[in-house]
Amino acid sequence: MGSKLSGPAGQGGKTIEQNADINVTPFVDIMLVLLIIFMVAAPMATVSIKLDLPPATPPTNTDEKPKEPVYITIQESGSLFIAEKETTIASLPGDVCAAQRVTTDCREERVFVRAQPEVKYNQFMEVMNTLQGNGFYKVGLLNEDIE
């Protein structure tokens, strides 16, 4: 009975050698695939769009201040104000042109609309539709007071 087991029982005396080397083949395969993907994707990321920008010119009148924009305020009660002057939906386009004080077409100037948080959507859209229907397409929307 002198058999000697050097491994787990039932292996017939054979020892199992462990391999401590790291297999880097899967790592190299992944790196080569990533390299090919980036080589193909890099030229697509450098697509450029040609822009024709006007040359930079200094302002002609440096002492002239930019004019104050026109603010239309819609209150919860439905009343409209241009600056501090009250107006109505019917007279809104004419009052906006009068408030802008421009010699050119007043519809080309920017108009800002702000409404109190409690204003109903249909009141707001009535003002927007009136402005758009009268040719005011440069309308900015404000959600808080500018100081």
Side-chain angles (χ1 to χ4, degrees), residues 54-140:
T57 57
T60 54
N61 295 335
T62 56
D63 57 343
E64 183 179 314
K65 289 184 179 180
K67 63 183 190 61
E68 189 69 26
V70 173
Y71 295 100
I72 300 172
T73 305
I74 309 169
Q75 292 187 341
E76 180 184 4
S77 62
S79 55
L80 298 174
F81 287 89
I82 297 177
E84 284 80 33
K85 181 186 171 200
E86 189 168 3
T87 185
T88 63
I89 287 288
S91 63
L92 182 65
D95 290 343
V96 169
C97 284
Q100 287 179 346
R101 292 184 229 123
V102 292
T103 56
T104 60
D105 187 16
C106 63
R107 290 168 178 78
E108 295 298 318
E109 299 296 320
R110 184 162 306 277
V111 177
F112 291 99
V113 177
R114 60 183 164 203
Q116 291 181 341
E118 297 83 17
V119 170
K120 293 190 171 138
Y121 182 73
N122 63 348
Q123 293 172 326
F124 176 76
M125 284 310 296
E126 186 179 16
V127 172
M128 294 297 293
N129 290 337
T130 301
L131 288 173
Q132 186 177 11
N134 287 288
F136 292 94
Y137 297 114
K138 294 182 178 181
V139 178

Side-chain angles (χ1 to χ4, degrees), residues 20-57:
D21 294 335
I22 297 174
N23 188 3
V24 295
T25 305
F27 178 71
V28 171
D29 289 345
I30 291 172
M31 295 310 289
L32 288 174
V33 168
L34 288 174
L35 177 68
I36 291 170
I37 289 172
F38 285 124
M39 287 173 57
V40 170
M44 288 185 240
T46 59
V47 175
S48 63
I49 298 172
K50 186 177 187 314
L51 295 177
D52 293 327
L53 297 175
T57 57

